[in-house]
Amino acid sequence: MAKELKLMKGNEAIARAMIASGTDGYFGYPITPQSEVMETLMAEKPWETTGMVVLQAESELASINMVYGGAATGKKVATSSSSPGISLMQEGLTYLAGAEIPCVIMNAMRGGPGLGTIQPAQSDYFQSVKGGGHGDYQLYTIAPSSVQEMYDFVFDAWDIAFKYRNPVLILTDGAIGQCMEKCYTRDYIPRWTEEERRQHAPWGTWGKPATRSHNIITSLELESSRQEVFNQKLQAKYREMEEKEVRFEALNCEDADYIFVAYGTSARICMKSMELARAKGLKVGLLRLITLYPFPKKQIAELAKKVKGMLCVEMSAGQMIEDVKLAANCSIPIEHYGRFGGIIPSPEEVLEAMEKEIIK
Amino acid sequence: MANLDIVKPENLVYTKTKVLTDNVMHYCPGCGHGTAHRIIAEVIDEMGIQDKTIGVSPVGCSVLAYNYFDVDFQEAAHGRAPAVATAIKRLNPDCFVFTYQGDGDLAAIGTAETLHAANRGENITMVFINNGIYGMTGGQMAPTTLVGMKSATTPYGRRVDLNGYPLRITELLATLPGTYYVTRQSVHTPGNVRKAKAAIRKAFENQKLNKGLSFVEICSSCNSGWKMTPVQANKWMEENMFPNYPLGDIKVDGKLCENITAERLVLDHPLTVVNK
């Protein structure tokens, strides 16, 4: 498919980008508000065009373990879900991280806890960047704030996943998954040939030829001294990501006295709040986080030296703010403004919070 | 003639298959895992599919199976091997994919994955080692623990009113249209080893047909978990396990065998056993 401009839902963009980016397999389980990902794939029938495998699993437990099995053969395998389903996948995610298997997972967050609501939320930040599953591990976590980014980040996710042999989490929410926007599609990247697969994944379980010893995919190491060495290797990989792979967008931050810090849907709202503030003569900027892990610590520390205060806007009770405060070393006033349980704040109330809590 | 004179390639009648590594197995003496590994490895060798076979090991005693098979291997989370194998096979349809799982892994925590892989008719081979107990974690009750059987978590014997019935998942799977071959074997005598190997061979050959899942249960002893000598354990298995878990084919080429009656499938009055 050639490049074109189309109107589509965020979830649809994820599905179309998977096909276009040469994804080999998708395994999923329906859950609102992201079921359009699998629905789009099933309607598109990519197995007849690119050869991509699409399968509806019996549960999120099964789908994440199908990702494990398929991705461990060195193929590009992805899944998607929403908060309660992602909770079920945490076991699989820590195994994927522990076995260093590249793969892509999309979470269209909805309000919790428990079954919660099917409306958008951003209350899985802790789960996404602080572990979620057991053990010391990190998922490369990238947060789109538009349908276009939903599409583009799938391509970026494959690059990162295979560069670092690490799972990549595209962390979005029900609003971006469900909203329709224009989106530029890209030329198809063909799925890897057998030779390319072996070249990109020499560690993969694709059948042991006589020329190499057998490849083993496992996260088990009963000898603690070797497990510690392995964990040190993982940590070194995470430090390298922190050094090289931080992404963010600084809007009107050069002359700003005050800034919003936000990602995803909240960042979109803050863009409007910032416009309203500027119209009132308030020098307000926005630091839009794109990667949540690695977190833009240095950039926040630098900004904290220049501005008088920051307002963290999240559709949660206040999760990302902890990392912002740590990065800024609490050197300036930093407050949280959030709505949750599926409520999306208005630009006006966000600006009001900035004026009340930070500008005063 | 000195003994060394007969050590010549042309006189060789048996050798360890190259599909097993030289790593020393960690299994207890008397355990069936070593034999089960060997016959699977021999089948892979004889079929000439070492370069196309991908194995999936479980959590349990055989978690380290990948150290012994010289083929590409994945270690799955507890119970998830059928889901893992599903994707391996779907994405690599030319490969031979097998899971190797115990009763806790396959029939308790992984019941959903087992049932749905079978029901989808995944074109894989599942090898199920049933020893009626959680061997690795120290002999706790498994879904397959017999009524009356003592274990670390049923110290006074399994009670139906408290713990429910032993789960005969092999019979259950045979009722699903997605299974093409379902059999129960053992490896406790040379004759049974030969039958079990033939069953494994059939289960692997079936993957060439693409007609559904092949399932081989190997009813095995756990002498250390059962707190018996290997000889006692084999005898106890014959006397107590086999009446509850009868050996033989249940479904062949997609059809239930003639001797498999409704009563045989259901066995609604499990026999009560007594062990130490």
Side-chain angles (χ1 to χ4, degrees), chain A residues 137-153:
Chain A
Y137 76 93
Q138 296 288 346
L139 306 177
Y140 182 88
T141 305
I142 187 163
S145 69
S146 66
V147 171
Q148 185 68 56
E149 283 189 341
M150 292 279 264
Y151 189 89
D152 293 340
F153 287 0

Side-chain angles (χ1 to χ4, degrees), chain B residues 194-207:
Chain B
R194 277 196 287 275
K195 283 185 196 164
K197 186 176 167 185
I200 299 278
R201 174 78 187 236
K202 188 171 179 60
F204 272 80
E205 292 283 354
N206 281 347
Q207 290 196 38

Side-chain angles (χ1 to χ4, degrees), chain A residues 175 205 210 232 244 260:
Chain A
T205 53
Q232 284 163 346
K244 296 179 180 168
F260 292 116

Side-chain angles (χ1 to χ4, degrees), chain A residues 24-25 27 53 55-59 61-62 65-70 72-73 75 77 91 95 197 204-209 212-220 222, chain B residues 21 50-54 59 63-64 66-78 80 83-88 90-92 95 112-114 116-117 120 122:
Chain A
D24 294 297
F27 299 89
V53 169
L55 182 66
Q56 178 170 339
E58 65 270 27
S59 68
L61 284 181
N65 283 284
M66 288 173 183
V67 170
Y68 181 100
T73 70
K75 298 215 168 195
V77 186
E91 175 198 49
Y95 276 69
R197 184 244 296 240
T205 53
W206 32 262
K208 171 199 142 39
R212 67 157 166 83
S213 57
H214 60 165
N215 281 341
I216 295 166
I217 296 293
T218 182
S219 57
L220 175 69
L222 293 169
Chain B
T21 64
Q50 186 179 15
D51 60 341
K52 286 186 198 163
T53 301
I54 302 169
V59 170
V63 64
L64 294 169
Y66 51 75
N67 283 337
Y68 311 130
F69 287 99
D70 193 20
V71 297
D72 281 357
F73 233 92
Q74 299 189 17
E75 198 286 303
H78 200 18
R80 317 294 174 224
V84 170
T86 291
I88 299 173
R90 295 251 179 171
L91 288 159
N92 302 273
C95 284
E113 286 78 5
T114 299
H116 284 281
R120 283 190 303 264
E122 296 296 341

Side-chain angles (χ1 to χ4, degrees), chain A residues 322-350:
Chain A
E322 292 192 3
D323 286 333
V324 177
K325 280 186 165 179
L326 273 174
N329 207 14
C330 295
S331 54
I332 52 168
I334 297 172
E335 297 295 338
H336 162 76
Y337 183 74
R339 299 292 300 271
F340 38 83
I343 301 291
I344 301 176
S346 70
E348 291 76 15
E349 67 180 287
V350 167

